[in-house]
Protein backbone atom coordinates (compact mmCIF):
# COMPACT_ATOMS: atom_id res chain seq x y z
CA UNK A 1 0.00 0.00 0.00
CA UNK A 2 1.28 3.43 -0.89
CA UNK A 3 1.83 6.18 1.61
CA UNK A 4 -1.42 8.15 1.57
CA UNK A 5 0.26 10.93 3.55
CA UNK A 6 2.53 11.83 0.60
CA UNK A 7 0.96 14.24 -1.89
CA UNK A 8 0.18 12.27 -5.06
CA UNK A 9 0.03 13.56 -8.62
CA UNK A 10 -2.57 11.90 -10.84
CA UNK A 11 -3.93 12.62 -14.29
CA UNK A 12 -6.67 11.81 -16.72
CA UNK A 13 -5.76 11.99 -20.41
CA UNK A 14 -8.77 11.74 -22.74
CA UNK A 15 -8.55 11.94 -26.52
CA UNK A 16 -10.79 14.54 -28.25
CA UNK A 17 -12.15 12.06 -30.79
CA UNK A 18 -15.90 12.55 -30.26
CA UNK A 19 -18.43 12.97 -27.47
CA UNK A 20 -16.68 12.46 -24.13
CA UNK A 21 -17.11 8.90 -22.80
CA UNK A 22 -18.60 8.26 -19.36
CA UNK A 23 -15.41 6.32 -18.62
CA UNK A 24 -13.52 9.63 -18.71
CA UNK A 25 -15.64 10.87 -15.82
CA UNK A 26 -15.32 7.53 -14.01
CA UNK A 27 -11.52 7.62 -14.16
CA UNK A 28 -11.40 11.33 -13.37
CA UNK A 29 -13.47 10.77 -10.24
CA UNK A 30 -11.06 8.21 -8.77
CA UNK A 31 -7.96 10.15 -9.82
CA UNK A 32 -9.35 13.30 -8.24
CA UNK A 33 -10.42 11.50 -5.06
CA UNK A 34 -6.92 10.20 -4.36
CA UNK A 35 -5.31 13.52 -5.24
CA UNK A 36 -7.59 15.27 -2.74
CA UNK A 37 -7.09 12.50 -0.16
CA UNK A 38 -3.32 13.05 -0.22
CA UNK A 39 -3.32 16.81 -0.74
CA UNK A 40 -1.79 16.34 -4.18
CA UNK A 41 -2.72 17.49 -7.69
CA UNK A 42 -5.09 16.28 -10.40
CA UNK A 43 -3.91 16.97 -13.96
CA UNK A 44 -5.97 17.06 -17.17
CA UNK A 45 -3.93 16.26 -20.27
CA UNK A 46 -5.26 16.08 -23.83
CA UNK A 47 -3.89 13.14 -25.83
CA UNK A 48 -4.37 14.24 -29.43
CA UNK A 49 -1.59 12.36 -31.20
CA UNK A 50 -4.05 10.47 -33.41
CA UNK A 51 -4.68 13.43 -35.69
CA UNK A 52 -6.88 11.50 -38.12
CA UNK A 53 -9.52 10.83 -35.44
CA UNK A 54 -9.78 14.30 -33.93
CA UNK A 55 -13.29 15.79 -33.81
CA UNK A 56 -13.82 19.56 -33.74
CA UNK A 57 -15.39 20.73 -30.48
CA UNK A 58 -14.60 17.52 -28.61
CA UNK A 59 -11.91 19.08 -26.46
CA UNK A 60 -14.29 21.84 -25.32
CA UNK A 61 -16.89 19.18 -24.49
CA UNK A 62 -14.35 17.42 -22.26
CA UNK A 63 -13.80 20.63 -20.30
CA UNK A 64 -17.54 21.40 -20.09
CA UNK A 65 -18.69 17.97 -18.94
CA UNK A 66 -15.96 17.45 -16.34
CA UNK A 67 -16.59 20.96 -14.98
CA UNK A 68 -20.33 20.25 -14.86
CA UNK A 69 -19.58 17.16 -12.77
CA UNK A 70 -17.42 19.18 -10.38
CA UNK A 71 -14.33 17.16 -11.29
CA UNK A 72 -12.05 20.18 -11.33
CA UNK A 73 -8.40 19.85 -12.34
CA UNK A 74 -5.41 21.72 -10.95
CA UNK A 75 -3.41 21.83 -14.21
CA UNK A 76 -4.46 21.51 -17.84
CA UNK A 77 -4.41 22.99 -21.34
CA UNK A 78 -7.07 25.56 -20.48
CA UNK A 79 -5.56 26.79 -17.21
CA UNK A 80 -1.86 26.03 -17.64
CA UNK A 81 0.50 24.84 -14.94
CA UNK A 82 4.18 24.24 -14.20
CA UNK A 83 4.50 21.41 -16.77
CA UNK A 84 2.80 23.08 -19.74
CA UNK A 85 1.96 22.44 -22.48
CA UNK A 86 -0.67 19.86 -21.54
CA UNK A 87 -1.75 19.07 -25.09
CA UNK A 88 0.40 16.35 -26.69
CA UNK A 89 0.34 17.87 -30.18
CA UNK A 90 2.21 20.83 -28.67
CA UNK A 91 4.91 18.58 -27.17
CA UNK A 92 6.31 16.94 -30.33
CA UNK A 93 9.80 18.37 -29.73
CA UNK A 94 9.81 16.50 -26.42
CA UNK A 95 9.31 13.03 -27.89
CA UNK A 96 11.75 12.92 -30.82
CA UNK A 97 14.94 13.09 -28.71
CA UNK A 98 13.59 10.24 -26.56
CA UNK A 99 12.99 8.12 -29.67
CA UNK A 100 16.53 8.82 -30.94
CA UNK A 101 17.90 7.84 -27.55
CA UNK A 102 16.07 4.49 -27.66
CA UNK A 103 17.29 3.80 -31.20
CA UNK A 104 20.89 4.56 -30.27
CA UNK A 105 20.67 2.23 -27.28
CA UNK A 106 19.32 -0.61 -29.44
CA UNK A 107 15.90 -0.62 -27.77
CA UNK A 108 14.07 0.60 -30.88
CA UNK A 109 14.45 0.37 -34.66
CA UNK A 110 13.08 1.77 -37.92
CA UNK A 111 10.37 -0.15 -39.75
CA UNK A 112 9.66 0.57 -43.44
CA UNK A 113 6.84 -1.97 -43.92
CA UNK A 114 3.90 -0.61 -45.88
CA UNK A 115 0.32 -0.92 -44.53
CA UNK A 116 -0.44 -3.45 -47.29
CA UNK A 117 2.52 -5.60 -46.30
CA UNK A 118 1.46 -5.53 -42.62
CA UNK A 119 -2.12 -6.47 -43.55
CA UNK A 120 -0.85 -9.43 -45.61
CA UNK A 121 1.39 -10.50 -42.71
CA UNK A 122 -1.54 -10.46 -40.24
CA UNK A 123 -3.75 -12.39 -42.67
CA UNK A 124 -1.09 -15.05 -43.14
CA UNK A 125 -0.64 -15.39 -39.38
CA UNK A 126 -4.39 -15.81 -38.89
CA UNK A 127 -4.68 -18.38 -41.67
CA UNK A 128 -1.77 -20.35 -40.24
CA UNK A 129 -3.34 -20.05 -36.77
CA UNK A 130 -0.01 -19.05 -35.28
CA UNK A 131 -0.02 -19.09 -31.46
CA UNK A 132 2.02 -15.89 -31.39
CA UNK A 133 1.08 -13.01 -33.66
CA UNK A 134 2.46 -9.53 -34.12
CA UNK A 135 5.14 -7.85 -36.16
CA UNK A 136 7.62 -10.35 -37.67
CA UNK A 137 10.67 -8.06 -37.41
CA UNK A 138 11.38 -8.03 -41.12
CA UNK A 139 13.03 -4.59 -40.77
CA UNK A 140 15.03 -5.25 -37.61
CA UNK A 141 18.78 -5.01 -38.18
CA UNK A 142 18.42 -3.79 -41.77
CA UNK A 143 19.53 -0.51 -43.27
CA UNK A 144 17.12 1.50 -45.34
CA UNK A 145 18.84 0.34 -48.52
CA UNK A 146 18.67 -3.32 -47.53
CA UNK A 147 14.97 -3.09 -46.67
CA UNK A 148 14.18 -1.21 -49.90
CA UNK A 149 15.21 -4.26 -51.91
CA UNK A 150 12.40 -6.31 -50.31
CA UNK A 151 8.65 -6.17 -51.10
CA UNK A 152 6.23 -3.92 -49.20
CA UNK A 153 8.60 -1.00 -48.70
CA UNK A 154 7.37 2.40 -47.53
CA UNK A 155 9.49 5.52 -47.98
CA UNK A 156 8.62 6.96 -44.56
CA UNK A 157 9.40 4.62 -41.65
CA UNK A 158 7.85 4.24 -38.24
CA UNK A 159 9.88 3.40 -35.13
CA UNK A 160 9.21 0.22 -33.14
CA UNK A 161 10.26 -0.97 -29.69
CA UNK A 162 12.48 -4.06 -29.67
CA UNK A 163 10.82 -6.28 -27.06
CA UNK A 164 13.48 -8.51 -25.44
CA UNK A 165 12.97 -12.24 -25.17
CA UNK A 166 13.11 -12.07 -21.37
CA UNK A 167 10.58 -9.23 -21.00
CA UNK A 168 9.00 -9.23 -17.55
CA UNK A 169 5.26 -9.81 -17.86
CA UNK A 170 4.26 -9.59 -14.20
CA UNK A 171 3.89 -6.41 -12.20
CA UNK A 172 2.29 -5.21 -8.98
CA UNK A 173 -0.99 -3.36 -9.23
CA UNK A 174 -2.23 -1.25 -6.32
CA UNK A 175 -5.78 -2.60 -6.74
CA UNK A 176 -5.18 -6.17 -7.93
CA UNK A 177 -1.86 -7.21 -6.43
CA UNK A 178 0.59 -9.19 -8.58
CA UNK A 179 -0.81 -9.70 -12.08
CA UNK A 180 0.52 -10.97 -15.39
CA UNK A 181 0.00 -9.63 -18.89
CA UNK A 182 0.41 -11.29 -22.30
CA UNK A 183 3.67 -10.91 -24.17
CA UNK A 184 3.68 -7.71 -26.27
CA UNK A 185 4.93 -7.45 -29.83
CA UNK A 186 7.26 -4.78 -31.18
CA UNK A 187 4.97 -1.81 -30.61
CA UNK A 188 5.17 1.27 -32.84
CA UNK A 189 6.24 4.25 -30.71
CA UNK A 190 6.69 6.88 -33.45
CA UNK A 191 4.35 7.06 -36.43
CA UNK A 192 5.23 8.02 -39.99
CA UNK A 193 3.72 11.48 -39.48
CA UNK A 194 6.19 12.23 -36.69
CA UNK A 195 3.61 11.91 -33.92
CA UNK A 196 4.30 9.51 -31.04
CA UNK A 197 1.85 6.71 -30.31
CA UNK A 198 0.04 6.57 -26.99
CA UNK A 199 2.55 4.10 -25.56
CA UNK A 200 5.54 6.42 -25.87
CA UNK A 201 3.79 9.72 -25.19
CA UNK A 202 2.01 8.52 -22.06
CA UNK A 203 5.27 7.33 -20.48
CA UNK A 204 7.24 10.44 -21.40
CA UNK A 205 4.52 12.84 -20.29
CA UNK A 206 3.73 11.01 -17.07
CA UNK A 207 7.42 11.07 -16.13
CA UNK A 208 8.04 14.70 -17.07
CA UNK A 209 4.86 15.82 -15.31
CA UNK A 210 5.74 13.96 -12.12
CA UNK A 211 2.74 11.62 -12.18
CA UNK A 212 3.03 9.25 -9.21
CA UNK A 213 -0.07 7.07 -9.80
CA UNK A 214 -1.43 5.91 -13.15
CA UNK A 215 -5.13 5.13 -12.70
CA UNK A 216 -6.76 3.74 -15.84
CA UNK A 217 -9.07 1.02 -17.10
CA UNK A 218 -8.16 -2.65 -16.95
CA UNK A 219 -7.95 -2.80 -20.76
CA UNK A 220 -4.49 -1.23 -20.36
CA UNK A 221 -3.12 -4.13 -18.30
CA UNK A 222 -1.82 -5.78 -21.48
CA UNK A 223 0.14 -2.62 -22.34
CA UNK A 224 1.77 -2.17 -18.96
CA UNK A 225 4.84 -4.41 -19.64
CA UNK A 226 5.67 -2.16 -22.62
CA UNK A 227 5.39 0.93 -20.47
CA UNK A 228 7.51 -0.60 -17.70
CA UNK A 229 10.18 -1.41 -20.29
CA UNK A 230 10.27 2.21 -21.44
CA UNK A 231 10.64 3.45 -17.87
CA UNK A 232 13.49 0.99 -17.30
CA UNK A 233 15.29 1.78 -20.57
CA UNK A 234 15.09 5.50 -19.91
CA UNK A 235 16.27 5.17 -16.31
CA UNK A 236 13.06 6.56 -14.84
CA UNK A 237 11.11 5.42 -11.78
CA UNK A 238 7.81 3.83 -12.76
CA UNK A 239 4.58 5.11 -11.19
CA UNK A 240 2.17 3.11 -9.05
CA UNK A 241 -0.21 1.18 -11.33
CA UNK A 242 -3.94 1.16 -10.55
CA UNK A 243 -6.15 -0.61 -13.11
CA UNK A 244 -9.84 0.05 -12.53
CA UNK A 245 -12.62 -2.39 -13.49
CA UNK A 246 -14.44 -1.50 -16.70
CA UNK A 247 -18.02 -0.27 -16.74
CA UNK A 248 -20.22 -2.91 -18.39
CA UNK A 249 -23.60 -3.18 -20.09
CA UNK A 250 -26.32 -5.47 -18.74
CA UNK A 251 -24.94 -8.28 -20.96
CA UNK A 252 -21.53 -7.79 -19.28
CA UNK A 253 -19.96 -6.36 -22.45
CA UNK A 254 -17.80 -3.24 -22.18
CA UNK A 255 -19.97 -0.14 -22.21
CA UNK A 256 -19.65 1.63 -25.55
CA UNK A 257 -21.30 4.55 -27.32
CA UNK A 258 -22.37 2.22 -30.12
CA UNK A 259 -24.36 -0.07 -27.81
CA UNK A 260 -25.45 2.20 -24.98
CA UNK A 261 -26.45 5.89 -25.10
CA UNK A 262 -25.38 6.19 -21.46
CA UNK A 263 -21.77 5.74 -22.59
CA UNK A 264 -21.94 9.35 -23.82
CA UNK A 265 -21.22 11.74 -20.97
CA UNK A 266 -23.39 14.38 -22.64
CA UNK A 267 -26.38 12.01 -22.50
CA UNK A 268 -26.65 12.52 -18.75
CA UNK A 269 -26.93 16.29 -19.20
CA UNK A 270 -29.46 15.90 -21.99
CA UNK A 271 -31.63 13.58 -19.89
CA UNK A 272 -31.50 15.86 -16.88
CA UNK A 273 -29.40 13.99 -14.34
CA UNK A 274 -27.86 16.10 -11.59
CA UNK A 275 -24.05 16.10 -11.45
CA UNK A 276 -23.99 15.12 -7.78
CA UNK A 277 -26.16 12.08 -8.55
CA UNK A 278 -23.93 10.93 -11.41
CA UNK A 279 -20.82 11.41 -9.27
CA UNK A 280 -22.38 9.34 -6.49
CA UNK A 281 -23.40 6.65 -9.00
CA UNK A 282 -19.90 6.41 -10.50
CA UNK A 283 -18.46 6.11 -6.99
CA UNK A 284 -20.68 3.07 -6.39
CA UNK A 285 -19.58 1.55 -9.71
CA UNK A 286 -16.04 1.16 -8.44
CA UNK A 287 -16.26 1.45 -4.67
CA UNK A 288 -18.56 -0.11 -2.05
CA UNK A 289 -20.72 2.09 0.18
CA UNK A 290 -19.47 2.57 3.73
CA UNK A 291 -22.57 0.71 4.95
CA UNK A 292 -25.37 -1.25 3.28
CA UNK A 293 -27.78 1.63 3.76
CA UNK A 294 -25.28 4.37 2.87
CA UNK A 295 -25.38 4.40 -0.93
CA UNK A 296 -26.00 8.15 -0.89
CA UNK A 297 -22.51 9.53 -0.32
CA UNK A 298 -21.15 13.01 -0.92
CA UNK A 299 -17.84 13.34 -2.75
CA UNK A 300 -16.18 14.76 0.37
CA UNK A 301 -17.14 11.64 2.35
CA UNK A 302 -15.92 9.43 -0.50
CA UNK A 303 -12.54 11.19 -0.38
CA UNK A 304 -12.29 10.87 3.40
CA UNK A 305 -12.90 7.09 3.23
CA UNK A 306 -10.84 6.44 0.08
CA UNK A 307 -8.62 3.36 0.08
CA UNK A 308 -7.36 1.55 -3.03
CA UNK A 309 -7.82 -1.77 -1.22
CA UNK A 310 -11.60 -1.22 -1.28
CA UNK A 311 -11.87 -0.69 -5.04
CA UNK A 312 -13.86 -3.41 -6.80
CA UNK A 313 -11.98 -5.65 -9.21
CA UNK A 314 -15.06 -7.04 -10.97
CA UNK A 315 -16.48 -4.92 -13.79
CA UNK A 316 -19.67 -3.28 -12.45
CA UNK A 317 -22.91 -3.44 -14.46
CA UNK A 318 -24.15 0.00 -15.44
CA UNK A 319 -27.61 -0.06 -13.81
CA UNK A 320 -29.48 3.07 -14.86
CA UNK A 321 -32.33 2.19 -12.45
CA UNK A 322 -29.94 2.75 -9.55
CA UNK A 323 -28.91 6.07 -11.08
CA UNK A 324 -32.58 7.03 -11.45
CA UNK A 325 -33.15 6.30 -7.76
CA UNK A 326 -30.12 8.37 -6.76
CA UNK A 327 -31.14 11.23 -9.03
CA UNK A 328 -34.63 11.29 -7.55
CA UNK A 329 -33.10 11.49 -4.10
CA UNK A 330 -30.85 14.41 -5.04
CA UNK A 331 -33.69 16.21 -6.83
CA UNK A 332 -35.80 16.06 -3.67
CA UNK A 333 -32.89 17.27 -1.57
CA UNK A 334 -32.79 20.56 -3.51
CA UNK A 335 -34.64 23.63 -2.35
CA UNK A 336 -37.63 24.67 -4.47
CA UNK A 337 -35.85 27.68 -5.96
CA UNK A 338 -32.71 25.66 -6.74
CA UNK A 339 -34.75 22.94 -8.43
CA UNK A 340 -36.76 25.51 -10.40
CA UNK A 341 -33.53 27.07 -11.66
CA UNK A 342 -32.23 23.64 -12.68
CA UNK A 343 -35.45 22.77 -14.52
CA UNK A 344 -35.55 26.08 -16.38
CA UNK A 345 -31.87 25.79 -17.33
CA UNK A 346 -32.50 22.29 -18.68
CA UNK A 347 -35.52 23.42 -20.72
CA UNK A 348 -33.51 26.35 -22.12
CA UNK A 349 -30.61 24.08 -23.09
CA UNK A 350 -32.39 20.98 -24.39
CA UNK A 351 -36.17 21.42 -24.70
CA UNK A 352 -36.79 24.97 -25.84
CA UNK A 353 -37.97 23.76 -29.25
CA UNK A 354 -40.78 21.84 -27.51
CA UNK A 355 -42.19 25.07 -26.10
CA UNK A 356 -43.46 27.68 -28.58
CA UNK A 357 -41.74 30.94 -27.74
CA UNK A 358 -39.50 29.29 -25.17
CA UNK A 359 -39.72 30.04 -21.46
CA UNK A 360 -41.21 33.51 -21.00
CA UNK A 361 -40.77 35.34 -17.69
CA UNK A 362 -44.32 34.30 -16.73
CA UNK A 363 -43.61 30.69 -17.72
CA UNK A 364 -40.53 30.66 -15.49
CA UNK A 365 -42.65 31.90 -12.61
CA UNK A 366 -45.22 29.16 -13.27
CA UNK A 367 -42.47 26.53 -13.23
CA UNK A 368 -41.26 27.92 -9.90
CA UNK A 369 -44.80 27.76 -8.43
CA UNK A 370 -45.26 24.19 -9.73
CA UNK A 371 -42.00 22.77 -8.37
CA UNK A 372 -43.47 21.65 -5.00
CA UNK A 373 -46.18 19.78 -6.92
CA UNK A 374 -43.91 17.87 -9.31
CA UNK A 375 -40.72 17.33 -7.27
CA UNK A 376 -41.98 14.17 -5.51
CA UNK A 377 -42.68 12.61 -8.92
CA UNK A 378 -39.50 13.63 -10.76
CA UNK A 379 -36.76 11.18 -11.71
CA UNK A 380 -34.85 13.42 -14.14
CA UNK A 381 -35.13 17.10 -15.03
CA UNK A 382 -36.25 16.20 -18.54
CA UNK A 383 -39.60 14.97 -17.18
CA UNK A 384 -40.52 18.32 -15.67
CA UNK A 385 -41.68 19.97 -18.89
CA UNK A 386 -44.15 17.18 -19.59
CA UNK A 387 -45.59 17.53 -16.10
CA UNK A 388 -46.07 21.31 -16.26
CA UNK A 389 -46.83 21.74 -19.96
CA UNK A 390 -50.58 22.12 -19.27
CA UNK A 391 -49.77 25.07 -17.02
CA UNK A 392 -47.75 26.79 -19.73
CA UNK A 393 -49.98 26.43 -22.78
CA UNK A 394 -52.76 28.80 -23.83
CA UNK A 395 -56.21 27.72 -22.61
CA UNK A 396 -57.57 27.29 -26.13
CA UNK A 397 -54.49 25.27 -27.17
CA UNK A 398 -54.70 22.69 -24.36
CA UNK A 399 -54.50 19.22 -25.92
CA UNK A 400 -57.01 16.82 -24.34
CA UNK A 401 -56.14 13.12 -24.47
CA UNK A 402 -58.89 11.28 -26.38
CA UNK A 403 -58.82 8.24 -24.09
CA UNK A 404 -59.04 10.45 -21.02
CA UNK A 405 -62.02 12.31 -22.50
CA UNK A 406 -63.78 9.02 -23.29
CA UNK A 407 -63.30 7.66 -19.77
CA UNK A 408 -65.01 10.65 -18.12
CA UNK A 409 -67.75 11.11 -20.71
CA UNK A 410 -70.55 9.76 -18.48
CA UNK A 411 -72.10 12.61 -16.48
CA UNK A 412 -69.10 14.80 -17.27
CA UNK A 413 -71.25 17.70 -18.46
CA UNK A 414 -73.29 17.93 -15.27
CA UNK A 415 -70.11 17.74 -13.18
CA UNK A 416 -68.40 20.45 -15.22
CA UNK A 417 -71.42 22.76 -15.21
CA UNK A 418 -71.74 22.42 -11.43
CA UNK A 419 -68.01 23.07 -11.06
CA UNK A 420 -68.20 26.22 -13.17
CA UNK A 421 -71.00 27.49 -10.97
CA UNK A 422 -69.12 26.74 -7.75
CA UNK A 423 -65.78 28.15 -8.90
CA UNK A 424 -67.37 31.31 -10.29
CA UNK A 425 -68.84 32.13 -6.90
CA UNK A 426 -65.78 31.55 -4.73
CA UNK A 427 -64.51 34.54 -2.78
CA UNK A 428 -60.99 33.09 -2.67
CA UNK A 429 -59.60 30.98 -5.53
CA UNK A 430 -57.34 28.89 -3.31
CA UNK A 431 -56.58 25.19 -3.06
CA UNK A 432 -58.50 24.66 0.19
CA UNK A 433 -61.46 26.78 -0.86
CA UNK A 434 -61.83 24.94 -4.17
CA UNK A 435 -61.46 21.51 -2.58
CA UNK A 436 -64.03 22.19 0.15
CA UNK A 437 -66.62 23.86 -2.11
CA UNK A 438 -66.42 21.25 -4.87
CA UNK A 439 -66.51 18.38 -2.36
CA UNK A 440 -69.67 19.82 -0.84
CA UNK A 441 -71.37 20.27 -4.21
CA UNK A 442 -70.24 17.17 -6.12
CA UNK A 443 -69.86 14.61 -3.33
CA UNK A 444 -72.23 15.67 -0.58
CA UNK A 445 -75.04 17.16 -2.65
CA UNK A 446 -74.81 15.25 -5.96
CA UNK A 447 -73.79 11.98 -4.30
CA UNK A 448 -70.73 11.30 -6.50
CA UNK A 449 -67.65 9.44 -5.34
CA UNK A 450 -64.62 11.74 -5.09
CA UNK A 451 -62.69 9.89 -7.80
CA UNK A 452 -65.60 10.14 -10.25
CA UNK A 453 -66.43 13.69 -9.23
CA UNK A 454 -62.98 15.18 -9.76
CA UNK A 455 -61.85 13.15 -12.81
CA UNK A 456 -63.76 15.25 -15.40
CA UNK A 457 -62.37 18.43 -13.83
CA UNK A 458 -58.84 17.04 -13.99
CA UNK A 459 -59.18 16.13 -17.67
CA UNK A 460 -60.68 19.53 -18.52
CA UNK A 461 -57.94 21.42 -16.67
CA UNK A 462 -54.87 19.30 -17.50
CA UNK A 463 -55.90 17.28 -20.59
CA UNK A 464 -54.98 13.96 -18.91
CA UNK A 465 -56.25 11.63 -16.19
CA UNK A 466 -52.97 11.63 -14.22
CA UNK A 467 -51.42 14.97 -13.36
CA UNK A 468 -49.82 16.93 -10.52
CA UNK A 469 -52.20 17.71 -7.62
CA UNK A 470 -55.35 19.15 -9.18
CA UNK A 471 -56.43 22.00 -6.92
CA UNK A 472 -52.89 23.27 -6.37
CA UNK A 473 -52.50 23.33 -10.18
CA UNK A 474 -55.80 25.21 -10.55
CA UNK A 475 -54.62 27.81 -8.06
CA UNK A 476 -51.50 28.39 -10.19
CA UNK A 477 -53.60 28.68 -13.37
CA UNK A 478 -56.06 31.13 -11.79
CA UNK A 479 -59.82 31.40 -11.97
CA UNK A 480 -60.04 32.84 -15.50
CA UNK A 481 -58.00 30.07 -17.13
CA UNK A 482 -59.73 27.31 -15.17
CA UNK A 483 -63.21 28.53 -16.14
CA UNK A 484 -62.14 28.91 -19.77
CA UNK A 485 -60.88 25.32 -19.86
CA UNK A 486 -63.99 23.94 -18.17
CA UNK A 487 -66.28 25.74 -20.62
CA UNK A 488 -64.21 24.62 -23.59
CA UNK A 489 -64.42 21.01 -22.41
CA UNK A 490 -68.24 20.94 -22.54
CA UNK A 491 -68.63 23.24 -25.55
Amino acid sequence: MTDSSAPARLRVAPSPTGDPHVGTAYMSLFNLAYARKTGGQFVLRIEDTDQARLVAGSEAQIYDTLSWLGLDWDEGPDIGGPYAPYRQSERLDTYRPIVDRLIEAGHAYYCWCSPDRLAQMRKAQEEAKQPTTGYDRLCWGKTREERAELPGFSETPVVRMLIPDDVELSFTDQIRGLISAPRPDDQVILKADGFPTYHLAVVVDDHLMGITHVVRGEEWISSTPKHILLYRWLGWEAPVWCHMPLLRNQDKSKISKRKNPAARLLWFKEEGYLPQALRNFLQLMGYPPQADDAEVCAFEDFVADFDWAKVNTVGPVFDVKKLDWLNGHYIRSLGDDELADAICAHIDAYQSDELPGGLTPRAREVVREAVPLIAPRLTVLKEALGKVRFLLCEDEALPVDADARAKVATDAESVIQASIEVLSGLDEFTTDAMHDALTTRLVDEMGLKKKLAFAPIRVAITGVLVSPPLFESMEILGRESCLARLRAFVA
Side-chain angles (χ1 to χ4, degrees), residues 119-134 136:
Q120 292 169 8
M121 177 199 72
R122 284 189 290 268
K123 183 179 179 181
Q125 290 175 346
E126 291 170 4
E127 290 175 349
K129 297 182 179 179
Q130 291 183 203
T132 303
T133 59
D136 59 5

Side-chain angles (χ1 to χ4, degrees), residues 31-219:
N31 275 281
L32 178 62
Y34 194 66
R36 296 293 175 260
K37 173 83 172 183
T38 63
Q41 295 83 40
F42 172 51
V43 178
L44 173 61
R45 191 170 68 223
I46 295 297
E47 298 198 343
D48 58 349
T49 58
D50 193 345
Q51 295 285 293
R53 295 180 60 223
L54 299 186
V55 174
S58 178
E59 185 175 322
Q61 288 178 339
I62 291 169
Y63 302 147
D64 291 344
T65 48
L66 292 183
S67 293
W68 168 70
L69 276 170
L71 303 176
D72 299 321
W73 49 98
D74 302 302
E75 303 166 25
D78 56 331
I79 58 175
Y83 300 95
Y86 293 89
R87 193 179 288 108
Q88 285 185 334
S89 60
E90 298 173 0
R91 299 173 61 82
L92 298 185
D93 291 346
T94 302
Y95 309 119
R96 184 70 223 200
I98 301 294
V99 173
D100 292 340
R101 182 173 156 191
L102 292 170
I103 293 172
E104 290 169 7
H107 296 309
Y109 61 95
Y110 288 105
C111 173
W112 291 272
C113 288
S114 67
D116 285 345
R117 194 262 156 183
L118 294 174
Q120 292 169 8
M121 177 199 72
R122 284 189 290 268
K123 183 179 179 181
Q125 290 175 346
E126 291 170 4
E127 290 175 349
K129 297 182 179 179
Q130 291 183 203
T132 303
T133 59
Y135 184 61
D136 59 5
R137 292 184 173 172
L138 177 64
C139 295
W140 178 43
K142 293 182 176 63
T143 64
R144 183 185 185 282
E145 291 72 21
E146 290 170 340
R147 178 60 184 86
E149 295 176 359
L150 302 175
F153 176 79
S154 175
E155 287 290 340
T156 308
V158 299
V159 176
R160 293 181 181 273
M161 295 175 65
L162 179 61
I163 304 297
D165 293 337
D166 61 349
V167 57
E168 178 60 58
L169 300 178
S170 298
F171 64 94
T172 300
D173 185 274
Q174 185 70 13
I175 297 171
R176 301 162 187 270
L178 185 66
I179 54 177
S180 296
R183 178 182 170 80
D185 71 336
D186 288 5
Q187 177 70 49
V188 174
I189 57 173
L190 190 72
K191 295 178 288 186
D193 62 4
F195 279 76
T197 62
Y198 167 84
H199 300 283
L200 177 76
V202 71
V203 167
V204 173
D205 289 342
D206 283 347
H207 169 72
L208 295 180
M209 293 182 182
I211 301 303
T212 61
H213 293 69
V214 170
V215 182
R216 57 190 181 186
E218 63 183 297
E219 73 268 33

Side-chain angles (χ1 to χ4, degrees), residues 347 366-367 370 374 383-393 468:
I347 293 173
V366 168
V367 170
I374 65 173
E383 298 170 345
L385 180 56
K387 295 182 184 299
V388 302
R389 195 187 302 274
F390 75 96
L391 295 170
L392 303 176
C393 71

Side-chain angles (χ1 to χ4, degrees), residues 311-377:
V311 174
N312 298 329
T313 57
V314 178
V317 173
F318 204 90
D319 183 3
V320 176
K321 290 182 180 178
K322 172 62 69 66
L323 175 58
D324 287 345
W325 175 81
L326 281 168
N327 204 61
H329 168 84
Y330 280 101
I331 279 177
R332 284 178 280 284
S333 70
L334 297 178
D336 289 347
D337 285 341
E338 193 176 1
L339 179 54
D341 289 342
I343 290 170
C344 289
H346 188 271
I347 293 173
D348 287 338
Y350 302 107
Q351 296 175 287
S352 58
D353 58 339
E354 300 176 35
L355 202 62
L359 276 176
T360 63
R362 173 55 189 158
R364 294 178 192 278
E365 187 57 36
V366 168
V367 170
R368 197 167 298 279
E369 293 174 25
V371 157
L373 311 185
I374 65 173
R377 297 165 175 81

